[in-house]
Amino acid sequence: MDGVVQPGTAPFWIALLTVAGLGIVELVSVLLGGSASGLIDDGLGHHGHHVPDHSEAGLLGGWMSWLNAGGVPILVLAVILLSAFAAAGFAIQAMWTNMTGGPMPLFAAMTGAVAAAIPVTRWGSNGISKIIPRDETSVVEQADFIGLIGIVTLGPLDQGNPGTVRVKDLHDNIHTLRACAAPGHVIQTGAQVLIVDGAKGLFQAIPAPPELDNSHTENHGG
């Protein structure tokens, strides 16, 4: 083990293993029909791809707005940050060892790695957001979504924790809404729903009536 984990590099190996773990968690969640990224974003109040709710700043505050320049999901941001931290840490220790014959003190190496990782994360977030598919985020009034048909992408929807519904607005922009089922309904993932109410960034949905369901299918090519 000592031959793999060189002195002064343990935190950077831990960061790499965490990145691998996050990837596995997301893969498993997708195979199970959900999204760890979406659940984490909802839990932390980070709704960069959801309908704007200007009354809530979110748990992460202003520093997240700066770091998350491109509006990528929290899980992607964590992978960028941890990867940059690990790469910078290994590079710092390698250069220091080549110059002095021994590792840099761990606290100093970690401080340098963090200082390097933060701007790299901002730059990487901005770049990745331009090449990965994402929803449109143009500002739309919450009332404009009432009466629209959507598809449950994270469910089932009930009266407990919110799931997510993808809808297309009148301008053909795609939005992901946090939603619960209206009282008396349980709606499975993949079902079409009608948005019937909403307040403070959370919507209520019911199963789409057959006549609206059929009309929606025809208008969107199946």
Side-chain angles (χ1 to χ4, degrees):
M1 185 68 178
D2 290 341
V4 176
V5 181
Q6 298 298 324
T9 63
F12 312 125
W13 281 109
I14 292 172
L16 282 183
L17 292 174
T18 302
V19 169
L22 291 175
I24 293 172
V25 168
E26 178 67 8
L27 176 61
V28 170
S29 69
V30 169
L31 292 176
L32 293 176
S35 171
S37 296
L39 291 173
I40 293 172
D41 285 349
D42 287 342
L44 294 179
H46 174 67
H47 309 302
H49 295 264
H50 298 285
V51 179
D53 180 5
H54 300 293
S55 66
E56 298 181 2
L59 178 65
L60 302 180
W63 73 270
M64 177 57 71
S65 297
W66 187 88
L67 259 187
N68 197 21
V72 299
I74 293 285
L75 199 61
V76 173
L77 193 69
V79 168
I80 299 172
L81 181 61
L82 290 170
S83 299
F85 170 76
F90 287 129
I92 288 171
Q93 288 292 31
M95 290 186 293
W96 186 265
T97 299
N98 287 338
M99 290 187 298
T100 66
M104 179 182 289
L106 188 56
F107 178 78
M110 291 177 63
T111 300
V114 169
I118 289 176
V120 169
T121 301
R122 176 179 166 87
W123 173 81
S125 167
N126 191 40
I128 289 177
S129 71
K130 296 176 181 178
I131 61 175
I132 62 175
R134 61 176 181 169
D135 300 332
E136 297 292 334
T137 56
S138 53
V139 176
V140 179
E141 294 294 331
Q142 184 152 339
D144 293 339
F145 293 99
I146 307 302
L148 295 184
I149 296 290
I151 296 177
V152 179
T153 54
L154 180 61
L157 302 186
D158 51 26
Q159 290 72 55
N161 293 329
T164 58
V165 175
R166 286 172 61 89
V167 301
K168 182 181 291 188
D169 66 22
L170 298 179
H171 306 289
D172 287 335
N173 295 325
I174 301 297
H175 301 265
T176 303
L177 312 180
R178 297 173 65 245
C180 292
H185 296 281
V186 176
I187 309 172
Q188 299 300 318
T189 300
Q192 289 194 328
V193 296
L194 173 67
I195 304 298
V196 294
D197 198 4
K200 296 183 179 180
L202 181 64
F203 292 84
Q204 280 194 352
I206 62 173
E211 61 273 15
L212 292 180
D213 194 327
N214 293 335
S215 174
H216 178 267
T217 300
E218 294 173 1
N219 292 337
H220 291 80

